Amino acid sequence: MYYSMPQLELLRVLRIVGCLERRQAYTLLQLCYGISPLVSGRLIRQLQYGGKLRISRDGRQIISPYGRSEPHLSCAIDIALSFAGPENAPKILPCRKDFLLCVSFAAKGLHLWIIHVPEGCEQEKSTLLDHAQETAPEQSVYVMLLDNAAQAAHITAASPCLLAYPDANGRTQLVEKEVDSHGFQ
């Protein structure tokens, strides 16, 4: 069976991330190809009937046949999509094993790296982030995805980054972690 470029792109992304929220897939296809949600739904159904992807029982997630749902991945993809725009479509890339997501924005020449920081691992992930920034491509932005706002006080990364955490209403807050010229908070 022949698949369209949007379908092939969706399958490529699913191979990398394992699953997407349906709304995220619609947004991604709209940003990359200008496709409406109605057409996106049809493209996804064709792939589902062809056995190339699965739909979760509640219908909210699109899952690669071998993929599984990663709890923090949905939030990471939402963060990446918040950086996107009509002229700046995101390209999800394979990433280093310690990172949750890597996204390239070709129009801005920007790479976005998202790392999940479980509670109690702030020191370890801060060190990992500092090391990663030493070898990062130009124009890289790092986001540390925290489980709660209290973790921000324990982040010791000397490199500038963004911190993302849920607020009291469950919405993700994205704030800049500032460092002085000596690398201290």
Side-chain angles (χ1 to χ4, degrees):
M1 180 172 219
Y2 295 104
Y3 296 110
S4 67
M5 288 303 292
Q7 287 173 316
L8 292 172
E9 176 64 12
L10 184 60
L11 291 173
R12 185 191 70 76
V13 168
L14 285 172
R15 272 193 306 278
I16 294 169
V17 298
C19 70
L20 286 170
E21 297 284 332
R22 186 181 291 264
R23 64 179 170 73
Q24 293 169 335
Y26 288 177
T27 301
L28 189 63
L29 291 174
Q30 183 176 14
L31 288 168
C32 293
Y33 298 99
I35 295 174
S36 72
L38 179 65
V39 173
S40 293
R42 291 178 181 157
L43 295 176
I44 290 167
R45 262 192 310 280
Q46 286 177 340
L47 292 171
Q48 179 186 8
Y49 295 145
K52 298 295 183 184
L53 56 83
R54 298 180 288 129
I55 305 294
S56 64
R57 287 189 178 146
D58 63 6
R60 293 177 54 202
Q61 286 189 324
I62 300 166
I63 306 165
S64 168
Y66 307 106
R68 60 180 173 73
S69 181
E70 169 68 42
H72 301 286
L73 186 60
S74 178
C75 185
I77 292 169
D78 283 341
I79 291 168
L81 290 174
S82 75
F83 280 77
E87 304 297 319
N88 196 29
K91 182 166 180 89
I92 296 175
L93 303 172
C95 63
R96 301 173 191 156
K97 79 171 189 162
D98 294 317
F99 286 84
L100 191 57
L101 188 67
C102 177
V103 181
S104 172
F105 296 94
K108 290 184 179 178
L110 175 75
H111 279 80
L112 179 70
W113 299 84
I114 301 175
I115 185 171
H116 174 241
V117 183
E119 201 163 354
C121 296
E122 296 85 12
Q123 183 85 30
E124 172 190 340
K125 298 295 182 171
S126 292
T127 303
L128 176 73
L129 180 91
D130 286 338
H131 177 67
Q133 282 199 347
E134 292 172 3
T135 60
E138 291 287 321
Q139 296 288 29
S140 289
V141 174
Y142 288 86
V143 178
M144 297 184 87
L145 180 57
L146 311 176
D147 290 335
N148 60 64
Q151 288 179 269
H154 303 289
I155 298 297
T156 60
S159 305
C161 64
L162 298 173
L163 303 177
Y165 51 82
D167 66 10
N169 297 323
R171 292 180 177 241
T172 302
Q173 297 297 311
L174 196 60
V175 297
E176 189 172 350
K177 179 195 159 295
E178 295 185 25
V179 294
D180 66 17
S181 61
H182 301 293
F184 300 110
Q185 293 186 40

